[in-house]
Amino acid sequence: MILIVGGAGYIGSHINKELNKQGYQTVIFDNLSKGHKEAVRWGELFDGDLSNIEQIREVFKKYPIDAVLHFAAFIEVGESVKDPQKYYQNNFKNTLNLLQVMLENNVKKIIFSSTAATFGSPEYTPIDEKHPQNPINPYGQAKLMVEKVMRDYDVAYGLRYVALRYFNACGADVEADIGESHNPESHLIPLILDAAIGKREDIKIFGTDYPTEDGTCIRDYVHVTDLASAHILALKYLLDGGESDCFNLGNGLGFSVRQVIDAVKTVTKKDFKVTEVERRDGDPAILVASSEKVKNKLGWKPQFTDIKVIIESAWKWHQKINI
Ligand code: UFG
């Protein structure tokens, strides 16, 4: 049995679908504060909160858990700067509870959702795993702290972990069973789709004076189903006795904010207002991953490299939930 903590959320629910497709049994531990009950369409839902260690103990008592995938976290970089306590308590402290109960139950395999934000401002691009990790916000800091704790627990207690550092997760399940939906919406592609559908009067570009070709920030957009396949490879690797490791997950392709907006206009055949505003604090100009390590070591092959195909999947889902 695989425990998916935060499996009712955007990324966790896609991994849950893929795991079930491949015949794994899953139990989803989620407090449904950000996740959606309707997204738990496979496996069993256990309504629990990581801040409550007894609830974690209960789920381990109830199910024979072999390994854990941990997605539960707050995800807004800007909010983490304004309210760091929220991030250190939920993303860091509550993760310590999970690790504690894993060790109590002798469950020593975990896949952890880490982030490009652990690297901070890039010193070179594309960013590989050797790049220094100097986060510039509490969100990235808390994720890096968990990576460090897992390293120590590996040495001391034999915990085996894989930390997967996502760049910009995006897109939706091609069958549109599940997709991305945050409340309030905070991420670029769903925000642009909201403008396309008329739910939002415009899309704002945060900064047009970056040192990039068109002046807007460049990001590495990686499809959530490709993230799912990477998790399954990492899980198999750990279940087969693999050593702890960290991998960056991106397409290695950068798209600017303007390019993403143009791609949305092409895919949706809708026009909408684009407003140029000031830079948002803490946005590096360019964030692009080198994913050579995960390709070479785990055999990962992303299927969605065309930004239009990625947006098509997100658009299909976005229309479905906004009927
Ligand atoms: N952007 C806009 N307008 C908007 C929203 C975003 O121009 O209305 C721009 C941002 O400035 C950024 C790009 O679009 O340049 C992407 O922004 P997102 O907010 O969608 O994503 P981020 O790159 O800020 O964040 C992502 C993940 C985080 C993770 C971070 C790592 O969502 O969880 O990458 O750096 F921490």
Side-chain angles (χ1 to χ4, degrees):
M1 194 82 157
I2 307 299
L3 178 67
I4 310 182
V5 180
Y10 169 45
I11 302 177
S13 63
H14 285 79
I15 280 84
N16 185 32
K17 178 175 182 180
E18 289 302 312
L19 280 171
N20 279 274
K21 243 180 166 173
Q22 296 201 21
Y24 289 90
Q25 285 188 309
T26 58
V27 54
I28 288 77
F29 184 96
D30 204 298
N31 65 5
L32 300 174
S33 71
K34 299 278 177 184
H36 310 278
K37 208 172 184 173
E38 318 81 73
V40 186
R41 301 181 49 174
W42 308 268
E44 288 185 46
L45 176 63
F46 186 101
D47 192 344
D49 195 304
L50 285 185
S51 66
N52 184 334
I53 199 159
E54 287 311 324
Q55 289 180 345
I56 313 176
R57 289 191 174 119
E58 266 175 52
V59 79
F60 275 81
K61 209 165 152 191
K62 190 162 173 202
Y63 299 96
I65 291 162
D66 301 298
V68 176
L69 289 94
H70 177 27
F71 299 92
F74 294 133
I75 57 163
E76 285 181 48
V77 171
E79 182 187 55
S80 81
V81 177
K82 290 195 188 87
D83 192 1
Q85 177 168 258
K86 183 170 173 184
Y87 280 73
Y88 288 119
Q89 289 197 330
N90 189 47
N91 295 7
F92 178 65
K93 186 169 155 235
N94 292 348
T95 299
L96 295 186
N97 289 342
L98 174 65
L99 295 174
Q100 180 180 335
V101 178
M102 285 178 65
L103 294 176
E104 285 171 6
N105 287 276
N106 207 26
V107 175
K108 293 190 175 174
K109 293 176 173 51
I110 182 167
I111 316 283
F112 175 64
S113 298
S114 190
T115 169
T118 59
F119 292 110
S121 301
E123 289 176 16
Y124 58 84
T125 190
I127 298 174
D128 58 17
E129 290 76 4
K130 295 193 183 81
H131 189 287
Q133 287 178 291
N134 295 308
I136 53 170
N137 51 60
Y139 171 75
Q141 189 71 262
K143 290 279 184 181
L144 180 59
M145 284 160 70
V146 174
E147 285 193 15
K148 289 181 174 170
V149 166
M150 293 192 303
R151 210 168 301 155
D152 290 344
Y153 283 18
D154 182 348
V155 175
Y157 315 124
L159 178 84
R160 297 286 182 265
Y161 67 90
V162 170
L164 296 175
R165 303 180 187 130
Y166 318 146
F167 280 62
N168 286 61
C170 61
D173 166 47
V174 287
E175 286 152 349
D177 281 335
I178 40 182
E180 183 171 16
S181 148
H182 307 292
N183 190 14
E185 193 44 72
S186 48
H187 286 67
L188 182 66
I189 293 176
L191 283 170
I192 308 175
L193 294 176
D194 272 350
I197 219 159
K199 245 174 94 176
R200 196 172 287 275
E201 67 170 36
D202 65 352
I203 180 72
K204 295 188 173 44
I205 300 184
F206 296 147
T208 51
D209 59 347
Y210 283 97
T212 60
E213 213 160 287
D214 67 17
T216 66
C217 286
I218 291 179
R219 292 288 179 272
D220 185 331
Y221 294 90
V222 53
H223 195 277
V224 66
T225 302
D226 285 330
L227 293 182
S229 67
H231 284 77
I232 293 173
L233 290 168
L235 177 65
K236 286 183 180 153
Y237 165 81
L238 282 187
L239 292 173
D240 287 347
E243 296 291 314
S244 298
D245 215 336
C246 300
F247 300 100
N248 295 354
L249 284 182
N251 269 313
L253 300 168
F255 293 97
S256 72
V257 175
R258 280 195 214 279
Q259 285 175 320
V260 176
I261 293 172
D262 288 346
V264 171
K265 287 190 174 177
T266 308
V267 167
T268 63
K269 302 187 181 69
K270 307 259 185 211
D271 200 13
F272 45 85
K273 195 169 150 202
V274 177
T275 312
E276 297 180 0
V277 298
E278 290 297 293
R279 291 181 176 198
R280 185 174 72 176
D281 278 347
D283 272 338
I286 303 178
L287 275 178
V288 176
S290 160
S291 294
E292 291 314 302
K293 187 176 166 190
V294 64
K295 288 178 184 166
N296 293 333
K297 193 161 176 184
L298 300 185
W300 183 58
K301 283 194 203 77
Q303 305 296 316
F304 294 83
T305 47
D306 181 338
I307 190 73
K308 291 204 191 82
V309 178
I310 292 178
I311 289 167
E312 266 163 25
S313 71
W315 178 229
K316 198 169 156 189
W317 164 253
H318 211 80
Q319 287 173 293
K320 183 175 166 181
I321 55 168
N322 284 290
I323 292 170

